[in-house]
Amino acid sequence: MTLFSYVVRWDHGFAPNPFHGICTLATCKPLIRRKAKIGDWVLGTGSAERKFQGRAIFLMHIDELSRFDDYWMNPRFVRKRPTMNGSLKQRFGDNIYHHDEGGAWVQADSRHSRDGHANDKNLARDTNTTDRVLIASDFMYWGEAAPKIPKSLQKFVIARPGWEENFTQVEIEQLVDWAKSHEQQGQVGDPLEWQYERWWR
């Protein structure tokens, strides 16, 4: 069992996407998406820029992996396709990639596109390294309600770009026990960035 910890610089509800009872990581962090396995954990902590450093934005326990085409076509995840004239929850859908009949990547109009057109930089970053979506039904997404991680678990707070994964099994169990001690499950709060984007609704 491995735990990957990284800083969620922008918490829009896009990466990760915690809506409809399932937490997914389908964009950004391509190396984590490539390396992670079923049974692993992913922890996202808050950014110093938003004065949320040292807080837990989300913790997901991976129980499923999917390729982008399967994610796009699966009826379970159709609601995670973005609708840019919808609610904030709809606008930040992360189900945005699939191949066309000729095998070329298609990027749906989304947080990662540009004025309705594909953003090649984001497309390359999201898809070139790995064709994988991380899926979790067991997760805690706190967002703007992110709790402070206690001093005894501060080694899980990564104050740099990239991520950390060198945690012992005992350390991981301690973090998970702390998270579960809140007796919360699924989406607890709204994404942090939504407080700056209320006018979108």
Side-chain angles (χ1 to χ4, degrees):
M1 180 175 61
T2 301
L3 184 144
F4 301 87
S5 178
Y6 74 97
V7 175
V8 181
R9 184 180 180 190
W10 305 111
D11 177 33
H12 291 281
F14 181 69
N17 182 287
F19 308 123
H20 313 297
I22 299 176
C23 188
T24 48
L25 190 61
T27 63
C28 302
K29 297 302 173 187
L31 296 180
I32 291 179
R33 289 188 287 112
R34 184 177 72 182
K35 295 186 69 173
K37 305 178 298 296
I38 291 175
D40 287 347
W41 294 86
V42 181
L43 169 69
T45 61
S47 69
E49 184 173 359
R50 290 302 192 209
K51 299 181 180 179
F52 262 56
Q53 187 173 12
R55 294 177 178 267
I57 300 295
F58 80 97
L59 178 67
M60 64 187 292
H61 190 207
I62 302 165
D63 54 27
E64 190 175 350
L65 304 171
S66 177
R67 294 184 179 275
F68 284 119
D69 285 342
D70 296 330
Y71 187 51
W72 178 263
M73 294 301 298
N74 193 321
R76 293 167 55 208
F77 305 119
V78 167
R79 292 201 296 175
K80 285 181 177 272
R81 293 184 187 178
T83 303
M84 298 308 287
N85 62 351
S87 66
L88 282 175
K89 183 185 294 187
Q90 293 171 318
R91 291 184 184 208
F92 287 105
D94 70 346
N95 191 353
I96 66 173
Y97 291 114
H98 65 283
H99 291 93
D100 64 19
E101 293 182 357
W105 282 110
V106 176
Q107 182 190 70
D109 190 10
S110 65
R111 164 74 178 167
H112 267 194
S113 62
R114 179 178 297 158
D115 299 324
H117 302 283
N119 182 312
D120 292 337
K121 179 180 179 180
N122 287 335
L123 190 154
R125 180 182 59 184
D126 290 338
T127 65
N128 280 1
T129 302
T130 187
D131 181 356
R132 180 180 275 185
V133 178
L134 307 184
I135 302 170
S137 55
D138 179 11
F139 70 97
M140 287 146 280
Y141 173 86
W142 292 282
E144 64 184 1
K148 289 184 179 180
I149 297 172
K151 290 182 179 180
S152 61
L153 298 172
Q154 282 296 300
K155 73 176 304 177
F156 289 97
V157 178
I158 312 302
R160 58 175 174 77
W163 77 93
E164 182 61 65
E165 60 178 285
N166 295 317
F167 306 109
T168 68
Q169 300 301 300
V170 171
E171 291 169 339
I172 295 172
E173 290 171 4
Q174 289 173 340
L175 179 79
V176 172
D177 287 345
W178 167 78
K180 290 185 178 295
S181 73
H182 293 79
E183 298 184 349
Q184 297 169 320
Q185 180 70 14
Q187 183 189 354
V188 178
D190 283 338
L192 178 60
E193 298 298 326
W194 284 14
Q195 63 184 289
Y196 304 100
E197 299 166 349
R198 298 296 182 186
W199 59 273
W200 279 27
R201 296 190 202 226

